[in-house]
């Protein structure tokens, strides 16, 4: 039979600023870790004030959160004084559960042993059930009364997840239960596999993409005529920041430990700058892996949560960064430069042929799931040095503008009225945001001519990109994209060729389809 755990306490004083003011997150993280350990929630009594308990008044608004057997939620709201009175009744019920042996352990969060949690804590003292939690003063009071406290965590420098992991780690060890921290979002459980299974280059780069677009925008700003030197240096600053961005994202995703992992990633990324984009990713991955390892080891060794957090975040980031700085960085930089050099060699050999082939393959790549795994990393490697990319230009022309041309054709001359309504949002998103090429899928997959037209249009526009030697980027408004390229006029021509070709072919395809539909209707009417 699984162990049942009760969560008691309040949003606290210092705790309030470190997650206590968000009871849904605090309770959700704790509930998630309880389930990950194969245990159950037996009861919840949590008083959430709308201010730190260090500064509250009896009239401060507050809420009482409890457990109904399936989920937690607010059961009473009012002034803090009113909520405390309501909490006393819940306290008596939880005390009865403890005395009846229906609660096996307690997690306290800034609890009140002399007030709202008096009865439950007294019952826990009598039954000697194991207790863990946070709140220096309250935990000391409870312990002095004889409460069986097996672990106490500080709140300074911690998060809701770290404190939850610390509490469940201590209880699991006490009960002899095997426990692996859940790293998914609150409400999910992801204790899956090894650290290696959580390393996703695609996930890291997609999450880091806004940083690359910000860098491209600084390139545009730095090109404004008459800009002071401080403005023209913005691009260089952003270039240097890219390894830090990808390292922070990589560390967070690999460890699943939120803030502490982000700090470790920033430390690792700062030391990995010499290794470029690849160095930053490697440094972040190492830091993220070490964060989880160090954190769990520290908690197993009964370190306070604050200490475990500092050790995990600081040492993990430092070790990951130093490995890249002294050993991996030169190799990572060499690899990145090698990939860029291969692209330049291909363009030097035949830019038009290279562009045409890239354009022809871009749609099969994204439909087949290869784009984000292979092409996007190369785009970002190119952008790392120049702020724009040959394949980025192919992306904007061959995917975004072709999709825009297909959807525009279905707005102006749709096969059916329903397709017009379907195409309009896709066209607007492609033009305004430079993404959502999937808007063309319904029309491409339902008509072979449209599908073939997309391939032809992408190939043709790719050849034009190669002819003009254009480097650019997608994921930005189409009207802004030319300004972020190395050849604005050439990019505009390439984009127009892509959109116009796709538009014309789609209109022709729709006319043919309409004619066939009309013929079928007539034959059906005659028959």
């Amino acid at each position: 039979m699984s162990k049942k755990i009760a969560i008691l306490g309040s949003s606290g004083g210092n705790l309030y600023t470190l997650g206590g003011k968000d009871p849904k997150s605090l309770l959700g993280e704790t509930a998630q870790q309880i389930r990950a350990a194969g245990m159950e929630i037996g009861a919840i009594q949590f008083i959430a004030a709308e201010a730190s308990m260090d500064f509250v008044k009896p009239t401060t608004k507050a809420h009482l959160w409890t457990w109904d057997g399936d989920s937690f939620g607010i059961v009473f709201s009012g002034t803090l004084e009113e909520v405390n009175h309501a909490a006393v009744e819940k306290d008596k019920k939880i005390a009865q559960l403890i005395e009846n042996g229906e609660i096996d352990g307690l997690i306290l969060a800034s609890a009140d042993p002399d007030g709202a949690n008096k009865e439950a804590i007294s019952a826990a003292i009598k039954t000697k059930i194991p207790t863990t939690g946070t709140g220096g003063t309250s935990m000391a009071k409870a312990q002095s009364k004889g409460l069986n406290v097996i672990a106490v965590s500080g709140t300074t420098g911690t998060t809701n997840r770290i404190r939850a992991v610390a509490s469940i780690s201590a209880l699991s060890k006490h009960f002899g239960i095997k426990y692996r921290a859940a790293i998914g979002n609150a409400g999910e459980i992801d204790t899956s596999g090894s650290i290696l299974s959580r390393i996703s280059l695609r996930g890291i780069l997609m999450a880091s993409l806004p940083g690359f677009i910000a860098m491209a925008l600084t390139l545009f700003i730095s090109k404004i005529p008459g800009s002071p030197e401080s403005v023209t240096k913005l691009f260089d600053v952003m270039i240097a920041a890219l390894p830090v961005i990808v390292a922070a994202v990589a560390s967070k995703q690999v460890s699943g430990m939120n803030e502490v992992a982000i700090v470790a990633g920033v430390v690792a990324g700062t030391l990995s700058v010499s290794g470029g984009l690849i160095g930053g990713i490697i440094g972040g991955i190492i830091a993220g892996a070490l964060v989880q390892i160090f954190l769990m080891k520290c908690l197993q060794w009964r370190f306070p949560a604050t200490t475990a957090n500092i050790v995990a975040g600081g040492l993990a980031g430092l070790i990951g960064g130093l490995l890249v700085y002294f050993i991996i960085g030169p190799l990572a930089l060499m690899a990145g430069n090698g990939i860029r050099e291969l692209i330049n060699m291909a363009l030097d050999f035949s830019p038009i042929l290279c562009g045409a082939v890239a354009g022809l393959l871009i749609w099969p790549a994204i439909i087949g799931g290869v784009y984000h795994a292979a092409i996007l990393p190369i785009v970002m490697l190119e952008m790392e040095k120049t702020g724009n990319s040959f394949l980025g230009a192919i992306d904007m022309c061959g995917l975004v503008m072709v999709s825009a041309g297909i959807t525009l054709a279905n707005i102006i001359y749709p096969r059916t009225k329903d397709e017009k309504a379907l195409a309009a949002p896709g066209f607007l998103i492609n033009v305004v945001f430079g993404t959502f090429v999937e808007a063309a899928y319904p029309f491409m997959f339902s008509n072979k001519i449209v599908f073939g037209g997309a391939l032809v249009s992408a190939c043709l526009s790719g050849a034009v990109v190669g002819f003009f030697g254009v480097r650019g980027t997608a994921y930005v408004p189409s009207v802004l994209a030319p300004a972020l390229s190395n050849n604005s006029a050439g990019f505009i021509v390439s984009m127009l060729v892509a959109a116009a070709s796709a538009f014309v072919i789609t209109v022709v395809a729709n006319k043919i389809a309409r004619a066939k539909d009309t013929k079928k209707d007539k034959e059906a009417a005659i028959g």
Side-chain angles (χ1 to χ4, degrees), residues 391-454:
L391 287 178
I394 296 293
D395 185 336
M396 172 57 81
C397 297
L399 291 178
V400 177
M401 296 313 297
V402 167
S403 180
I406 291 171
T407 49
L408 180 61
N410 282 284
I411 294 172
I412 296 175
Y413 195 86
R415 178 177 174 178
T416 66
K417 291 182 179 179
D418 292 340
E419 290 186 343
K420 182 176 182 179
L422 179 64
F427 172 75
L428 289 173
I429 294 173
N430 273 303
V431 171
V432 175
F433 296 103
T435 184
F436 195 39
V437 301
E438 296 86 350
Y441 283 179
F443 313 107
M444 292 171 63
F445 295 156
S446 64
N447 192 308
K448 292 181 180 179
I449 297 176
V450 175
F451 191 97

Side-chain angles (χ1 to χ4, degrees), residues 273-465:
V273 169
S274 61
L277 180 65
I278 296 177
I281 293 172
I282 294 173
I285 289 173
I286 294 172
L290 292 177
V291 160
Q292 190 177 36
I293 293 170
F294 288 171
L295 183 67
M296 296 310 296
K297 283 297 179 184
C298 287
L299 294 177
Q300 287 173 13
W301 294 335
R302 300 293 178 91
F303 283 27
T306 299
T307 304
N309 203 50
I310 292 170
V311 170
L315 283 184
L318 190 60
I319 292 172
L322 289 176
L323 284 173
V324 175
Y325 187 87
F326 286 112
I327 301 172
I328 302 171
L331 298 176
L333 188 62
M334 189 183 302
N337 289 336
I339 293 172
R340 285 187 289 269
E341 188 59 31
L342 284 174
I343 294 172
N344 290 333
M345 287 172 60
L347 289 172
D348 290 340
F349 174 73
S350 177
I352 296 176
L353 176 62
C354 192
V357 171
L360 181 63
L361 296 178
I362 194 82
W363 275 106
I366 195 167
I367 292 171
V370 177
Y371 174 87
H372 294 98
I375 296 177
L376 184 62
I378 297 174
V379 170
M380 291 184 167
L381 278 171
E382 287 189 90
M383 291 181 69
E384 180 189 12
K385 292 297 181 184
T386 60
N388 46 44
S389 156
F390 164 70
L391 287 178
I394 296 293
D395 185 336
M396 172 57 81
C397 297
L399 291 178
V400 177
M401 296 313 297
V402 167
S403 180
I406 291 171
T407 49
L408 180 61
N410 282 284
I411 294 172
I412 296 175
Y413 195 86
R415 178 177 174 178
T416 66
K417 291 182 179 179
D418 292 340
E419 290 186 343
K420 182 176 182 179
L422 179 64
F427 172 75
L428 289 173
I429 294 173
N430 273 303
V431 171
V432 175
F433 296 103
T435 184
F436 195 39
V437 301
E438 296 86 350
Y441 283 179
F443 313 107
M444 292 171 63
F445 295 156
S446 64
N447 192 308
K448 292 181 180 179
I449 297 176
V450 175
F451 191 97
L455 297 181
V456 170
S457 301
C459 179
L460 183 60
S461 65
V464 178
V465 166

